[in-house]
Amino acid sequence: MSEQYFTKRQNNLRALFSQENLDGILVTNLTHIRYLCGFTGSAGSLLITHDKCEFITDGRYTFQSKNEVKGANITISSDPHFNVIKKENLLPSNLKIAFDSNNVSHQIYNQLKDIFSSISWEGTSGYVESLAMIKDEKEIDAIKTAVEITDQAFAEVFPMIKIGVKEKEIANQLSFLYRKYGDADADAFSPIVGSGIHSAMPHQRPTDKKIEPGELVVIDSGAKYAGYHADMTRTVATKGYSEKQKEIYNIVLEAQLKSIDGIKSNISCKEIDSIARDHITNAGYGKYFDHGLGHSLGLEIHENPRFSKVSKDILQSNHVMTVEPGIYLEDIGGVRIEDDIVVQDNGCEVLNKTQKDFTVIS
């Protein structure tokens, strides 16, 4: 991506902190740094003022930062980053500089005050997150590719989902394929595979438990491509399933399809959550759907806005969201069905192509 691409993002951030009469912001969250200048390494700081953008890292990333960092002056030093800022006089005296309270500990805050006694440090939150909520064309293309890889990997793994196969075996194969086809260093998150009573645990970690007859199997996973995440959940049943298991599957699927039909820009996230929640509640299972309907995703797997019953967010075009209702019954098992969608002016685009019909495996 070009220097102009990242300079535009930096200028958007400048507009935000200027509204609060701030002179700059110190960015230490590595995902935010990637969003603002392109750096993908594991150590860096970014200082943005009205007229400067300074990136600091150490000698391990000399060549990487030269190739990746756009729109910022680069300083390579083995000294602590705050000392570099002071030594190089990157912060003139008597400025008001923001930092993200969610990413700076009290100890580090005290260090900032001690090292820069003439600087007024202002705790803020949500600046970069608010900019990242609306995805641009390049970001949406990356997410679409991550979703395509997710669909492809699930199709390849599906034949191994059988009675007698361990949860861990399915999860490990998904991770392998995501790293093969997507970002080689990681999949979007550790896959969730839960069978039987484990399927009623929304964030079940895969175990050595084998899939058995008459069970529901929940598989929640996703690929990552160019740093951008996908997130898909499918639930299948094994031979010998009960009518109750099929019933809750169909209720969840209907809830998901209804909520997707309601999505478009300028609709509240709370209203979309209510579509699915009301459907499940009216079917008698409201207390068994106890998480939000979905969340945004991008460079992070969980971003704002979110579909929830307490959300105050309003959907806008190019928000990328998950839609993932569920029902979880301790003795019966759980069902969750999840797709990634792109909000549009008059509807939404469902990115996942993996089918969602009730499927029985042997």
Side-chain angles (χ1 to χ4, degrees):
M1 296 180 186
S2 68
E3 181 170 327
Q4 184 179 11
Y5 181 83
F6 289 105
T7 299
K8 181 180 178 181
R9 290 181 172 181
Q10 295 163 17
N11 287 335
N12 289 338
L13 181 59
R14 288 185 174 102
L16 285 182
F17 66 65
S18 295
Q19 292 174 7
E20 303 296 327
N21 295 316
L22 295 166
D23 298 304
I25 184 169
L26 177 64
V27 184
T28 55
N29 180 298
L30 288 168
T31 302
H32 296 172
I33 290 171
R34 178 171 185 167
Y35 179 82
L36 291 165
C37 73
F39 178 69
T40 67
S42 61
S45 298
L46 193 67
L47 177 64
I48 300 178
T49 60
H50 291 301
D51 57 354
K52 291 182 181 179
C53 184
E54 303 285 348
F55 174 75
I56 304 159
T57 190
D58 60 68
R60 294 171 297 169
Y61 301 103
T62 299
F63 302 116
Q64 182 176 342
S65 59
K66 180 180 179 181
N67 291 329
E68 290 183 343
V69 173
K70 302 290 191 301
N73 299 316
I74 301 171
T75 299
I76 305 294
S77 175
S78 58
D79 292 336
H81 296 180
F82 300 161
N83 293 346
V84 173
I85 293 172
K86 186 174 182 65
K87 180 180 177 181
E88 300 296 328
N89 196 29
L90 301 180
L91 266 184
S93 301
N94 302 316
L95 297 182
K96 289 176 64 176
I97 303 297
F99 64 90
D100 192 328
S101 300
N102 294 324
N103 297 288
V104 173
S105 68
H106 188 262
Q107 178 183 5
I108 293 177
Y109 172 64
N110 285 333
Q111 289 179 12
L112 287 171
K113 289 197 301 180
D114 290 342
I115 296 172
F116 305 97
S117 57
S118 67
I119 298 295
S120 175
W121 293 99
E122 303 287 337
T124 61
S125 65
Y127 278 12
V128 179
E129 291 92 332
S130 66
L131 297 177
M133 286 168 65
I134 297 178
K135 304 300 188 283
D136 60 38
E137 184 177 349
K138 291 181 179 179
E139 291 178 295
I140 290 175
D141 285 344
I143 294 171
K144 286 182 175 179
T145 301
V147 172
E148 289 170 359
I149 294 169
T150 302
D151 282 334
Q152 179 182 353
F154 188 86
E156 291 188 30
V157 166
F158 187 78
M160 72 177 288
I161 307 172
K162 297 178 180 179
I163 292 169
V165 174
K166 295 178 181 179
E167 295 169 347
K168 277 185 177 179
E169 292 174 323
I170 297 169
N172 291 341
Q173 185 63 15
L174 283 168
S175 285
F176 169 75
L177 292 173
Y178 293 150
R179 294 174 184 227
K180 176 181 178 181
Y181 297 132
D183 285 358
D185 60 338
D187 35 7
F189 54 96
S190 296
I192 296 165
V193 181
S195 60
I197 60 173
H198 290 172
S199 65
M201 304 175 189
H203 281 182
Q204 163 66 19
R205 293 184 177 181
T207 69
D208 287 325
K209 178 191 174 303
K210 294 180 179 180
I211 298 173
E212 299 178 14
E215 291 187 333
L216 294 166
V217 183
V218 174
I219 301 172
D220 183 349
S221 63
K224 187 163 68 168
Y225 179 80
Y228 285 83
H229 297 72
D231 190 358
M232 182 183 80
T233 308
R234 290 295 184 266
T235 302
V236 299
T238 58
K239 188 175 181 180
Y241 68 88
S242 68
E243 287 304 310
K244 177 68 73 173
Q245 290 170 331
K246 185 175 182 180
E247 176 193 359
I248 64 172
Y249 185 95
N250 288 330
I251 292 168
V252 171
L253 179 58
E254 290 163 2
Q256 199 223 23
L257 295 175
K258 282 187 174 183
S259 55
I260 287 174
D261 285 344
I263 292 173
K264 62 181 178 179
S265 62
N266 297 316
I267 299 292
S268 73
C269 289
K270 182 178 180 179
E271 181 177 340
I272 301 303
D273 180 271
S274 294
I275 294 173
R277 199 167 301 280
D278 290 349
H279 181 81
I280 292 173
T281 299
N282 291 338
Y285 294 97
K287 68 178 181 179
Y288 303 107
F289 174 32
D290 55 1
H291 58 73
L293 179 65
H295 55 87
S296 184
L297 41 70
L299 285 173
E300 296 184 276
I301 187 61
H302 294 106
E303 296 184 356
N304 292 324
R306 297 171 187 258
F307 291 129
S308 81
K309 54 188 175 183
V310 298
S311 176
K312 297 181 180 178
D313 293 314
I314 304 297
L315 290 174
Q316 298 183 49
S317 289
N318 288 3
H319 281 165
V320 180
M321 308 289 295
T322 69
V323 186
E324 47 180 307
I327 294 175
Y328 311 93
L329 304 176
E330 184 176 1
D331 298 326
I332 304 296
V335 174
R336 184 167 63 257
I337 303 170
E338 175 186 22
D339 289 313
D340 303 333
I341 62 95
V342 181
V343 179
Q344 298 173 335
D345 287 343
N346 296 304
C348 71
E349 179 185 1
V350 179
L351 302 183
N352 300 86
K353 306 304 180 187
T354 301
Q355 68 93 19
K356 295 181 283 190
D357 296 334
F358 185 72
T359 301
V360 182
I361 59 176
S362 62

